[in-house]
Amino acid sequence: MKLVIVGDALLDLDLTGSATRLCPDAPVPVVDVEARRGRPGGAALAAVLAAGQGVEVTLISGRGADPAGYELDRLLPAGIRAVDLPFTGGTPSKTRVRAGGQSVVRLDSGAGFVPDVAPGPSVVRELRSADAVLVADYGRGATANSRLRHELSRLPPGTPLVWDPHPRGAPPVARADLVVPNESEATLFSGITAQPAGAMALWREWECGAVAVTRGERGAALAPSGELIAAPALDGAVDTCGAGDGFAVAVVLALARGESTSDAVTDAVLAATRFVASGGAGAWTASEQPAAATGLDVVHRVRERGGRLVAAGGCFDLLHPGHVNLLNQARGLGDALVVCLNSDASVRRLKGPPRPLVGVEDRKCLLEALGSVDAVAVFEETTPCRLLAELRPDVWVKGGDYEPSRMPEARIVEQFGGEVVRVPLTDGYSTTRMLRKMLELDVNREDLHERAG
């Protein structure tokens, strides 16, 4: 089954710690932060939950070219196909500060949005090949995109369309088979607090197939049938963050399996209850990310000591004294040095064939043998922007032949307070020059053979 999720992806951050005292200049708790953890939020969380059930998932969303956007990309499991919508501004982020199992404050940042411009042809292809579609609206412009709305309205009758609305988003298209606002949203949309009367009013207004108003521990109200579907009781306090996404994913998958709307909503209420009972979105943990595992170990050690982390990057094909000198100087600028190393595919895109001459594992081995290098992290992209957003070095080092305008990673580093340092090159050394000499030697050798023959 192929599920396409359309909507607004967010980066959710949890800062957890303890609060044992009040701030001396204001009656607010002081939270000693002990851990920072990022996770996909919004439509991205829905994609993660669906992928966890073995479903083929395509996520159609927008995000900014900023540290939050790169971190969000990194957190998405490899099995999720991401298709980008046009996006303007910073990636929306929601940071929860929690102490003693309770939320103290939430900090929102990133005002980016999806503008009303035509998305790429891949968006249309993905929608037309979907077995089911879930719209996860978080009020960042995706549902207001006129071309996207047109394509959603044209989905085949046999393709279930579930719409999870947002007060700042556009209304659902009439083609929607089921719209699933929560109780506070339904009250805001309809002005009616009682259920299922509010659900019935929204069903008439939106002219959709059905409306299910989720009511937390009280289950859901369904229109036009008027059913009140109960939820099983839970013991103790629970974290309900992400419960709506868990419900929406469960209900769209049930509809795709051919269940009736009533049965699908009943199944989804049970699924959402199990989700919050197991810890909700806060219990989600990212799978291991192989690209930067070693580099992150070094980062944690340096940060714990209050040290200064330096990062340097490049292809390092045919390691020579110029490289060694650059890395020695970089190491002298801090307490640990992580080298961001282009993968073989990345080198090939930058330099063209036959580069690289030395494979990535051999290049990594040579770099790790240098006394100046504490860790090597391989990245697959053309630039190390995403990796740097994860490492967040205090200093980013490049050779003196690179102008800041040619370094997109410089802006990433500076956004979180890092410094960009250009180190002078060692005269007489470059991989290109070495290759040119090798080619000249080959040409001269062939010429001698021809003359001798």
Side-chain angles (χ1 to χ4, degrees), residues 5 8-10 40-49 59 61 72 76-77 80 136 138:
I5 297 177
D8 305 297
L10 316 174
L45 174 59
V48 168
L49 297 178
L59 172 63
S61 68
L72 178 57
L76 286 176
I80 296 175
Y138 276 80

Side-chain angles (χ1 to χ4, degrees), residues 96-149:
R96 294 193 306 170
V97 181
R98 293 173 60 81
Q102 299 293 323
S103 290
V104 177
V105 67
R106 195 183 86 180
L107 310 174
D108 290 4
S109 60
F113 64 96
V114 176
D116 190 14
V117 299
S122 57
V123 170
V124 177
R125 286 197 301 269
E126 292 296 329
L127 285 172
R128 293 180 181 177
S129 63
D131 295 312
V133 176
L134 168 62
V135 174
D137 187 2
Y138 276 80
R140 297 290 180 158
T143 59
N145 185 284
S146 55
R147 178 63 189 277
L148 199 53
R149 292 179 67 83

Side-chain angles (χ1 to χ4, degrees), residues 42 83 160 169 187 208 301 314 358 380 412 414:
V83 177
T187 300
C208 56
R301 291 199 300 271
V358 180
E380 296 291 337
I412 299 298
E414 290 168 348

Side-chain angles (χ1 to χ4, degrees), residues 155-301:
L155 288 173
T159 303
L161 172 59
V162 173
W163 196 291
D164 190 355
H166 191 279
R168 293 197 303 270
V173 298
R175 165 63 183 79
D177 296 289
L178 180 65
V179 184
V180 291
N182 63 36
E183 194 163 29
S184 62
E185 291 167 344
T187 300
L188 186 64
F189 293 139
S190 68
I192 300 173
T193 56
Q195 299 300 337
M200 190 70 71
L202 292 175
W203 173 69
R204 293 192 184 99
E205 178 184 345
W206 290 330
E207 300 180 335
C208 56
V211 172
V213 175
T214 57
R215 309 170 70 206
E217 70 278 4
R218 289 175 292 131
L222 183 60
S225 68
E227 294 176 74
L228 290 175
I229 298 169
L234 291 173
D235 296 327
V238 293
D239 184 357
T240 61
C241 181
D245 296 296
F247 177 91
V249 167
V251 81
V252 72
L253 294 180
L255 290 174
R257 291 192 298 267
E259 294 186 19
S260 68
T261 302
S262 178
D263 288 346
V265 172
T266 301
D267 287 352
V269 166
L270 294 174
T273 302
R274 289 194 297 268
F275 177 73
V276 298
S278 64
W284 182 85
T285 55
S287 58
E288 290 296 320
Q289 301 295 320
T294 304
L296 284 178
D297 290 343
V298 171
V299 172
H300 295 323
R301 291 199 300 271

Side-chain angles (χ1 to χ4, degrees), residues 74 288-305 308-312 335-341 364 368 373-379 387-394:
R74 180 186 63 80
E288 290 296 320
Q289 301 295 320
T294 304
L296 284 178
D297 290 343
V298 171
V299 172
H300 295 323
R301 291 199 300 271
V302 173
R303 298 288 187 237
E304 286 174 0
R305 299 195 306 265
R308 184 173 168 87
L309 180 71
V310 182
D335 300 290
L337 171 63
V338 176
V339 176
C340 303
L341 180 65
K364 185 171 181 285
E368 289 172 338
V373 176
D374 295 278
V376 179
V378 178
F379 62 94
L387 178 56
L388 289 172
E390 180 180 5
L391 297 175
R392 301 171 74 89
D394 300 289

Side-chain angles (χ1 to χ4, degrees), residues 209-450:
V211 172
V213 175
T214 57
R215 309 170 70 206
E217 70 278 4
R218 289 175 292 131
L222 183 60
S225 68
E227 294 176 74
L228 290 175
I229 298 169
L234 291 173
D235 296 327
V238 293
D239 184 357
T240 61
C241 181
D245 296 296
F247 177 91
V249 167
V251 81
V252 72
L253 294 180
L255 290 174
R257 291 192 298 267
E259 294 186 19
S260 68
T261 302
S262 178
D263 288 346
V265 172
T266 301
D267 287 352
V269 166
L270 294 174
T273 302
R274 289 194 297 268
F275 177 73
V276 298
S278 64
W284 182 85
T285 55
S287 58
E288 290 296 320
Q289 301 295 320
T294 304
L296 284 178
D297 290 343
V298 171
V299 172
H300 295 323
R301 291 199 300 271
V302 173
R303 298 288 187 237
E304 286 174 0
R305 299 195 306 265
R308 184 173 168 87
L309 180 71
V310 182
C315 302
F316 296 97
D317 199 10
L318 294 183
L319 192 66
H320 56 66
H323 291 142
V324 175
N325 182 52
L326 181 144
L327 295 174
N328 285 340
Q329 293 186 66
R331 183 61 175 80
L333 296 172
D335 300 290
L337 171 63
V338 176
V339 176
C340 303
L341 180 65
N342 296 71
S343 70
D344 289 346
S346 177
V347 175
R348 199 168 296 114
R349 286 194 298 270
L350 287 169
K351 306 291 186 181
R355 306 285 296 276
L357 300 179
V358 180
V360 67
E361 290 303 321
D362 290 338
R363 288 184 284 127
K364 185 171 181 285
C365 178
L366 291 170
L367 288 167
E368 289 172 338
L370 298 177
S372 58
V373 176
D374 295 278
V376 179
V378 178
F379 62 94
E380 296 291 337
E381 300 83 4
T382 304
T383 72
C385 289
R386 186 169 71 168
L387 178 56
L388 289 172
E390 180 180 5
L391 297 175
R392 301 171 74 89
D394 300 289
V395 183
W396 169 243
V397 174
K398 288 294 285 185
D401 57 334
Y402 282 86
E403 294 295 329
S405 60
R406 294 172 53 200
M407 290 190 287
E409 59 269 32
R411 183 168 58 87
I412 299 298
V413 172
E414 290 168 348
Q415 278 184 338
F416 49 75
E419 177 187 2
V420 178
V421 175
R422 290 191 297 159
V423 172
L425 296 179
T426 303
D427 290 338
Y429 293 101
S430 83
T431 301
T432 302
R433 185 177 302 174
M434 293 170 67
L435 288 173
R436 190 178 297 121
K437 285 185 176 180
M438 291 177 185
L439 290 173
E440 289 174 355
L441 287 172
D442 284 343
V443 170
N444 291 337
R445 188 178 296 110
E446 288 176 4
D447 185 46
L448 288 172
H449 280 304
E450 289 179 2

